[in-house]
Amino acid sequence: MRIGIGFDIHRLISGRDLILGGVKLPSAKGLAGHSDSDVLLHALADALLGAAGAGDLGTFFPDTDPRWRNAPSRIFVKKALALAARGGWSVANVDLVVVTEAPKLAPHREAVIRSVARLLSVPPARVNLKAKTMEGLGEIGKGRAIASYAVALLEKSSPRKRGSSLS
Ligand code: MG
C-alpha cells in the first residue's frame, strides 16, 4: 500500500462559480484561480500523486499554461489516477476535509461524495468527506478563502482484493 497527502487553498471572490468535488454549489462567491479552482479536487489530485510517488500538480499543470485556464479539475485527478495505474496502483480509499465557513456543506455532502467516487471509479463507501469551519478565525474564518486536505491510500491492483469489505 502507498499513502499520500494533499493540501490546497483558494481565495473566495465574486463572479465565479463555487465548484467542490466536481459539484457546483449555491454560493454568492466562487474560488479564484487559473483552472475551475476546485480546491477539493486539487488537494485530492496531489494526494494521489503523492501516494503514487509522482510529484505534484503544479509540475504537470502549471498555472502559467493557458491550456488549463478554467479547466475542469477532474482532468487533474484523472491524470493522477493514470499515473498511479501505470505503477499498478488503484484507490483503496480517500479521506477529504474541506475547511470553509460558508456555504455549509452538509446539504451537499452526499452529492460531492458521489461525484468524487464516480471520478475515482470507486464505490462511495471508499470516499469520506468532512467539513470543518475555522470558528471565525483567520482568512478562512472571515469567508475569504476555502482550504482542503486530502489523504489517499493506494493498493496494488489485484483481482483478489476486489471483493473486500470496503467495496
Ligand atoms: Mg489549487
Side-chain angles (χ1 to χ4, degrees):
M1 291 204 164
R2 297 280 300 259
I3 196 167
I5 186 172
F7 168 80
D8 198 23
I9 185 168
H10 282 254
R11 286 183 299 115
L12 272 168
I13 58 169
S14 300
R16 287 207 86 184
D17 290 336
L18 177 61
I19 299 168
L20 285 176
V23 178
K24 185 175 158 187
L25 302 185
S27 170
K29 292 182 174 180
L31 293 171
H34 188 65
S35 65
D36 70 359
S37 304
D38 189 327
V39 68
L40 177 56
L41 292 191
H42 293 184
L44 174 58
D46 259 348
L48 292 166
L49 289 170
D56 66 29
L57 202 54
T59 306
F60 294 103
F61 301 100
D63 62 9
T64 50
D65 189 328
R67 279 182 297 169
W68 316 125
R69 185 178 300 281
N70 295 320
S73 295
R74 64 176 177 274
I75 65 177
F76 306 152
V77 175
K78 288 292 186 191
K79 171 73 174 178
L81 282 174
L83 288 165
R86 198 181 297 169
W89 300 104
S90 58
V91 175
N93 75 298
V94 298
D95 193 16
L96 310 168
V97 179
V98 174
V99 190
T100 180
E101 296 294 316
K104 292 296 174 205
L105 282 194
H108 314 291
R109 188 170 172 276
E110 293 306 317
V112 173
I113 286 174
R114 277 198 306 275
S115 170
V116 172
R118 205 162 43 236
L119 184 56
L120 296 176
S121 300
V122 299
R126 290 175 181 244
V127 177
N128 193 71
L129 175 65
K130 291 169 289 203
K132 307 294 287 185
T133 76
M134 287 291 283
E135 302 283 338
L137 296 166
E139 296 299 301
I140 296 173
K142 292 181 176 69
R144 294 179 186 148
I146 294 178
S148 184
Y149 299 83
V151 169
L153 188 69
L154 301 179
E155 59 188 352
K156 273 288 176 189
S157 305
S158 159
R160 270 189 302 118
K161 291 194 173 170
R162 288 202 183 119
S164 77
S165 58
L166 262 179
S167 62

